[in-house]
Amino acid sequence: MDKISVTCAIIIKDKKVLVVQRSEAMKLPLKWEFPGGKIESDESEEECIKREIIEEIGIEIELISRLTPSIHSYSSFQIELIPFLANYTKGNIKLTEHKKYLLLEKDELKELDWAEADIPILNEFLKR
């Protein structure tokens, strides 16, 4: 089974949390997740998450801290999801891959249909 390493960001903007919904064309269609993407061979985790957020959402972020990675096995692949807590710094949100985004209060996050790998990260964030 292939294992992929992916970073994601819990982005705080105007005291709310930015979450994105996967499109119908993506694996895990219509599931909600924290935005991010695969680490390239020549970049650090921190470089990856900053690049992915610019590419996928069109905004810049400032990293605050790294949270506990989550390892999850789906039917055809295993993912190591490496989360960062981050603040929005500048730019206008413009989705390039995802169907939708929401800015939610922390207590509204549990109501979404999350991608399974994101759930341990969500739970850790909610306990902070």
Side-chain angles (χ1 to χ4, degrees), residues 47-98:
E47 290 167 334
C48 172
I49 192 57
K50 289 180 175 186
R51 173 186 56 76
E52 285 285 349
I53 297 303
I54 291 169
E55 288 176 5
E56 290 186 5
I57 304 179
I59 63 171
E60 293 183 30
I61 58 172
E62 172 189 42
L63 300 180
I64 301 168
S65 61
R66 183 181 190 268
L67 303 181
T68 308
S70 163
I71 296 177
H72 184 81
S73 295
Y74 290 100
S75 58
S76 59
F77 66 99
Q78 185 179 61
I79 183 171
E80 177 188 26
L81 191 55
I82 303 158
F84 289 90
L85 189 57
N87 281 322
Y88 161 87
T89 56
K90 67 180 179 179
N92 295 317
I93 297 172
K94 180 174 180 260
L95 301 179
T96 60
E97 293 182 13
H98 292 84

